[in-house]
Amino acid sequence: MAKVLYGVMGNTNGHIMRTLSLITRIPEHEFHLVAGGRVIDVNTGRYPLLQVPVLHSRYKNQRLDLWGTIGQIALRILQVPFICWKIHQRVKEFKPDVLISDREFFTPIYARLTGRKCYSVDHTHILKICDFPVPEEMQKIYALTMFHDKLLFDFTPENFIVSFFQPPQIKRPGFREEVFGGVVRPELDSVKASEGEHIFVYLTVPDFPELIEALQQCSRPVIFYGYGRECVEGNITFRGFSKTRILEELASCRYAVVNGGHNLLSEALHFGKPALCFPISGAVEQYINVHFMRELTYGDYTYSKSPTVDLFEEFDQRCDEYKASIKRNYRGGTEDLVARLREVFDSAGK
């Protein structure tokens, strides 16, 4: 049995769900989390946890809040000495055999400072190895994003990359990187996909009244998650969070309307559902996700801040084409990645 210290970024559900999806499938090893934010509530005491601050991007009005993001990065950098000292105290108590991180900021830095190896499991490393076209209007934010990632998140020499698309890869000297398919939660195994009539909507940045106005003109019913209220307005049913119902309504929808986060896209594809994406402006990772959704004919995207009902009607007309592409080409990667992690943990625990 190996002892694994596992850092988890806690600002969005994607990192948390991916981590729990993986480690709950490997119960023969012992895990200790290093995390903050939403992890505290989701973990519910299941695994021991060292609470640390969260480094994350900030968004406002469907756009990256650049100066807000820079300000909180500066604050987290100032906290590095104290947080690394806290991690070191926990390491002395827990005595881990393996350190691993899903986009958690402090654990890889602690590993570098103390000469320990730290693996990563995330999707974001795809940006560093993926050869893809960057549109001219995104060149500056792309360069800034790559500089940010190299400066703050490039401390892991071995990276397990989760990705529903398999792009041409750029080899990086000094790094070993393996790409796996999308990872989904064990709960999805008990939910059966079906062909429903409703549009499923989930937005992580919900302040988008123009989208609601367009959806209210659609001929289909709409189930809307992430808006922070529960009510019915015309054809739109606003839902509060529900661990099981949200999966059932994703699995039975006609198609999904989401931002561009990798985890939710992977879950939609797992159920064979196309997605119409409204990526957050300035979020390069979301851009590459939706770019490949279009390239693979799994769905489409728009940066429009004033969508019309015609956008949804035209997407609806192509749904069968999108579904056929997903059925023909999409392959998940959960079991492959679990097997690879088990190899690492088994070897370290000997």
Side-chain angles (χ1 to χ4, degrees):
M1 179 188 74
K3 292 185 173 183
V4 183
L5 191 73
Y6 208 125
V8 189
M9 177 182 271
N11 67 311
T12 64
N13 286 331
H15 302 279
I16 304 166
M17 292 299 104
R18 177 165 53 234
T19 297
L20 294 177
S21 298
L22 294 169
I23 66 180
T24 54
R25 288 180 164 98
I26 316 176
E28 67 271 25
H29 296 291
E30 184 178 352
F31 295 92
H32 191 304
L33 304 182
V34 176
R38 300 179 190 177
V39 181
I40 289 88
D41 295 328
V42 175
N43 181 48
T44 61
R46 187 185 314 180
Y47 299 100
L49 184 148
L50 174 65
Q51 186 172 349
V52 297
V54 177
L55 185 153
H56 61 91
S57 299
R58 290 186 174 178
Y59 301 100
K60 185 177 182 180
N61 299 326
Q62 294 288 315
R63 293 180 179 275
L64 178 71
D65 179 0
L66 182 59
W67 291 110
T69 297
I70 290 173
Q72 66 90 29
I73 288 173
L75 176 60
R76 298 296 175 254
I77 291 174
L78 291 174
Q79 293 173 313
V80 164
F82 176 64
I83 301 302
C84 284
W85 176 83
K86 286 181 62 176
I87 294 174
H88 186 63
Q89 299 308 306
R90 191 59 53 93
V91 164
K92 288 196 296 184
E93 298 170 6
F94 182 58
K95 297 181 172 57
D97 302 295
V98 181
L99 273 64
I100 194 164
S101 174
D102 189 326
R103 197 69 175 170
E104 197 283 313
F105 176 59
F106 296 101
T107 303
I109 293 177
Y110 166 77
R112 175 67 66 88
L113 292 173
T114 56
R116 302 181 65 121
K117 183 176 182 179
C118 183
Y119 298 85
S120 80
V121 174
D122 63 29
H123 174 62
T124 315
H125 271 88
I126 199 75
L127 294 174
K128 300 186 178 78
I129 67 162
C130 179
D131 185 11
F132 71 101
V134 181
E136 184 176 352
E137 64 271 17
M138 291 192 70
Q139 291 285 347
K140 290 182 179 179
I141 192 65
Y142 173 75
L144 181 61
T145 298
M146 297 305 293
F147 174 75
H148 161 274
D149 262 49
K150 186 171 181 60
L151 181 67
L152 302 176
F153 291 101
D154 221 8
F155 300 109
T156 51
E158 191 154 351
N159 304 305
F160 302 131
I161 302 171
V162 175
S163 178
F164 69 80
F165 53 90
Q166 307 291 308
Q169 294 183 28
I170 302 169
K171 299 293 183 182
R172 298 199 298 157
F175 294 89
R176 179 181 177 184
E177 279 142 341
E178 302 174 50
V179 181
F180 299 82
V183 168
V184 297
R185 292 172 274 171
E187 294 92 327
L188 272 69
D189 295 337
S190 61
V191 179
K192 186 177 180 180
S194 60
E195 292 296 328
E197 294 298 317
H198 65 274
I199 303 169
F200 174 92
V201 183
Y202 185 100
L203 297 185
T204 54
V205 183
D207 185 17
F208 199 168
E210 296 85 357
L211 174 65
I212 293 175
E213 291 174 10
L215 287 169
Q216 287 175 330
Q217 300 175 53
C218 289
S219 57
R220 294 187 181 276
V222 178
I223 296 176
F224 200 122
Y225 282 90
Y227 204 67
R229 59 183 176 179
E230 294 190 57
C231 61
V232 178
E233 294 183 4
N235 65 325
I236 303 181
T237 301
F238 293 95
R239 299 280 203 212
F241 179 75
S242 170
K243 188 174 182 181
T244 55
R245 186 172 63 184
I246 190 171
L247 294 180
E248 293 167 353
E249 291 178 331
L250 174 60
S252 61
C253 71
R254 170 68 171 168
Y255 64 89
V257 175
V258 298
N259 289 124
H262 184 266
N263 192 68
L264 186 52
L265 287 174
S266 295
E267 293 190 346
L269 294 172
H270 172 84
F271 289 125
K273 304 301 180 180
L276 176 57
C277 305
F278 288 82
I280 297 169
S281 297
V284 176
E285 183 183 346
Q286 291 203 5
Y287 166 72
I288 187 175
N289 293 340
V290 301
H291 167 81
F292 279 101
M293 286 290 290
R294 177 183 286 178
E295 286 290 303
L296 294 167
T297 326
Y298 291 169
D300 209 344
Y301 72 93
T302 177
Y303 278 98
S304 173
K305 297 297 184 291
S306 302
T308 67
V309 65
D310 292 340
L311 175 69
F312 299 98
E313 299 298 338
E314 290 168 7
F315 187 88
D316 199 305
Q317 291 173 11
R318 294 191 64 187
C319 257
D320 291 341
E321 176 189 355
Y322 296 139
K323 291 180 179 182
S325 293
I326 296 168
K327 184 176 181 179
R328 185 169 56 247
N329 298 316
Y330 175 73
R331 297 293 180 271
T334 306
E335 296 306 321
D336 290 339
L337 181 52
V338 166
R340 184 69 182 91
L341 291 175
R342 185 171 274 123
E343 288 179 2
V344 172
F345 300 158
D346 287 347
S347 176
K350 290 181 179 178

